[in-house]
Amino acid sequence: MKRIIIFVVVIASMFMLVSCGSGPGSNAISYNFKQGSAGLEVKFLPKAPPPKIYPTSDFKMIVDMKNLQAYDVTQAKMKLVGIEGKYFDVNPLEQNLDVLVGRSLEYPSGDQVFVEFSVHAGELFQNAEQYRNPFFLKVHYFSSMEFTDTICVNPSFYKVYDGGCQQRERKSYSGQGAAIAVRSVEQIVFPSGTGTNLEYRFTLGNAGRGKVGFVNLGKVRLGGKDLSCEFTGKGIIDKRRVELKDIGQKTTLICKTFLKDQRSYETTLTADFTYDYEISQQHSLNLVK
Amino acid sequence: MVNTSGSSSQNTGSSKVGTGFKNFLRQDTQAQKESTKAERETTKVEKKTSSALRKFLTKERSLGSASSGVGLSIGVNPTLAWYIFFVGLIQYFLRLSGVGGTAPFFIAVFLLFIPSGYAVAQQAKKDKIVVLVPMLMFVLWYFVFEGNVEPSFLIYFFAVFGVLILIPLAFTKGKSTVAEALGFVPVLFLFLDLGMIPWLVETLNLTITPLLRSMVLFMPWWALLGLFFLPKSKNDGLNTFVGFLKIIGLLYVVFALITPMIPNLGYNTAGTLVPGAAELEDAQQRFRDQLPTGENPAFSNFACLFSDPTNIQSCVDGRQEKAIIENICLKKLGGDARSTDLSACQEEEAKKRKGGAVKVVGTIDPTIKIPTRANIKFDKRDFPTTSEFNLPFPFEFLLENPRKQDIKVQLDCNFTSLGTQSSVKGVVKGVNKFKTSDVEFESSYLCQPQTKLEGRYDVYFTVDLLNLKTISRLQRAFVGKKDPKHKERLLREEISKVIKIPLSQSPADFAKINFDLGHGRGQIVIEDTQTKNLVLLSKIENAAAGNIIKVHKYTIDLEGFETDDGSRDCMEGPKENQLTSTSLYVRDLPLPSCLISNYPQELKDTVDWIPKEFEAELVYDYQITRKQGVLIKS
């Protein structure tokens, strides 16, 4: 009995701890939205569509869409796929949406929009009792992602401490507040005659529940210096464009530079990407007698 | 007591008070000691009780000697196991035969469910009470509270349920978890026996596969459970026999289930209410009514394994066909048909089925629970046995018309002498031709022979139903131009979750059109491609025991679809002399097939895919006949 009580208390405490500290709260002013994984929150409003639909009735399907990313969503397109026109006449089946602003200090909640679809229900087939039509709510959009981190650059191959900083060969990240994320960055040093070749390997992958289409590389900078980069691995379209077809698929971006200075120093490593993404959710419409 | 005689008396009084107080304190202390002692004893008793209760709940009980006199058993009491096995078999045959009404239900609930829980407990060597707790709570929830899933009720119910479950868990320190989980085994078998599978078929629109048919029609769930409960005994002979029975049971399950598996659903249907027992039973009865009752697939498979091992599937198909024909003939002729009549009917039926029709398969629409049905009923004991008074032959006609079709009904009767083979006309007295659109129609009639009958005759009651209409539907997905990988992904992740039944569906009416449109048999994805043919195949299926006497019209609605030769024969008809009375006299009547050369642009231009449902309508006349042999004495 004692063990059970202790177990229950521990679980309750864990729940309380988890529920605390989520979101910016009163510290919004210092909260960094460009972390973790985030995407679009898409859902139907309760009873829109209604759980039971009657023949020849009119009703609305209303989608509540919220941008929880730290980046704007552009060229968003929402569509309903798989609805049989004979039973449900949906108008329109596809809608284009305006820009949805991402979360920021000025706009911590992110942009929210309600999208309506008007539907007219048809008749049931002969004397059927009901008709259930599973369908898919799909949202396709374009967005961007920026990776920024302060890293220690130590061109010296011999790892001699020079009063600067301590280099970390590999760093992992939880995300940058978007549906794709840089998961890790690896720093590799190659000595080369008068200087040092530095190579940065970014592991980039799908961080959301949808599907990534194409990822395009913008600029990668180490401090003020542009790095020469290219994607490697599966789905490569060209050096600066990759297609991540399977969910969970990762790709690697390799960036190189040459440094003459042998002293270690801290600087900012930044990379920006643009991508297109698709979310798909399954729902159903139930036409009853 | 206070002494009133001066100071000495005061001193005495005060000392007496002090003594009294001390005595009081001593008494109090004594009382405290006694109370503490009592508390200690109470605590001891409580500990003993708690310990005794724990022992009671977790004690492994020996089962004693079996009453069947075959020696000591380990596991389930053999008498109980045999009881479940035999009562389970009786209940199965009652359900299979349709005799007994609600008896199978009551037997399952009252005579099999509780003993099975007891047997499960014995089999697991856990205490009976702990196993029965979840069973009894389920019974309360399902039968008393009618499977209420309202959140407010569930919170209250599970809170109480949780406490009742936790009590044994607390006392047994978690050892009773397995026993409590085993309590759901009888619950599962009860659901399966009542009709969970037919209910799932109707609710989730599952395709009625041979596997499903086997599991509903031919699985004696309780008997199988009893069989596996049978324990070992000291008697080797009995052990061998029981072991043999268990192997037969296992083989039965294996042979019955060697058929395509139920398609993967992949869709969460949470939110549908738990069906009541009556609903499950109804679903099972509808399922049984609509299915052609063939031979038990386990027997077919087993028999063909020995008779034709190199061609088992063909052998099984043949046996199933023969059994279906026999059942159709028994329905036509009545249960007590003469063997010669039965043979003749079977021959005739077999000829009908050899129409050479294209094998286009359809299925019963699970959303249409009540098809159009008709029946002729009579009791031969009401028939006259002498010709003295020239009495009529009474019969009843019943019609179920859920779609309120305008149906013309014509009734007729005649007599065929078995000796001379001559025919004697009969007249159905009163209203024998009428039109009805009633949902349910029932009436009695009298068949009057036109001449005096003497000798042995077959009396035929015939009903012609005119202008019947049955509509079939078929679902397909148009994907436009897609590369193979994209197409496969769409099919796997989306299309298969929306279009679950690849066959045409129709109510279980007398006749229907089965049709198929696609690049291959049963393929639900249609592409916009020049490298694959798009074919339309169809046939008219006579799905009941009567005959199609006329096809007025058939149409397959493919608006905007063009054929390669420009002909529309595959989509509408019949043409003159296309379907004669002779050609209608078959079980499957093939219709013209065609290649589709073009279809609407809106079905080609799609980034994703478009679902489309097509309908095929059949307007026809149907004849039902019932025959009965009579002996008329002079």
Side-chain angles (χ1 to χ4, degrees), chain B residues 477-496:
Chain B
F478 289 81
V479 298
K481 283 186 168 53
K482 298 275 190 306
D483 63 76
K485 272 192 178 177
H486 189 183
K487 188 192 78 174
E488 283 306 312
R489 187 183 63 75
L490 276 179
L491 176 61
R492 188 179 64 245
E493 294 177 7
E494 295 181 16
I495 295 172
S496 61

Side-chain angles (χ1 to χ4, degrees), chain A residues 1 79 81-84 86-87 125-134 136 138 211 282-284, chain B residues 203 267 272 365 367-370 402-403 471 473 475 493-494 497-498 507 608-609 611-613 615:
Chain A
M1 184 58 85
K79 49 191 171 180
V81 178
I83 296 183
E84 168 55 56
K86 199 174 83 174
Y87 297 101
F125 177 67
Q126 297 197 96
N127 61 318
E129 300 285 319
Q130 63 159 16
Y131 175 77
R132 184 188 289 137
N133 191 163
F136 292 85
K138 290 188 174 182
K211 283 190 170 57
Q282 186 175 350
H283 299 274
S284 78
Chain B
T203 308
Y267 179 58
T272 54
D365 192 326
T367 63
I368 298 178
K369 299 195 187 338
I370 307 173
R403 300 194 294 277
I471 302 176
R473 62 188 175 109
Q475 294 175 302
E493 294 177 7
E494 295 181 16
K497 293 175 183 177
V498 175
D608 294 285
W609 59 280
K612 184 83 180 155
E613 188 170 283
E615 287 186 358

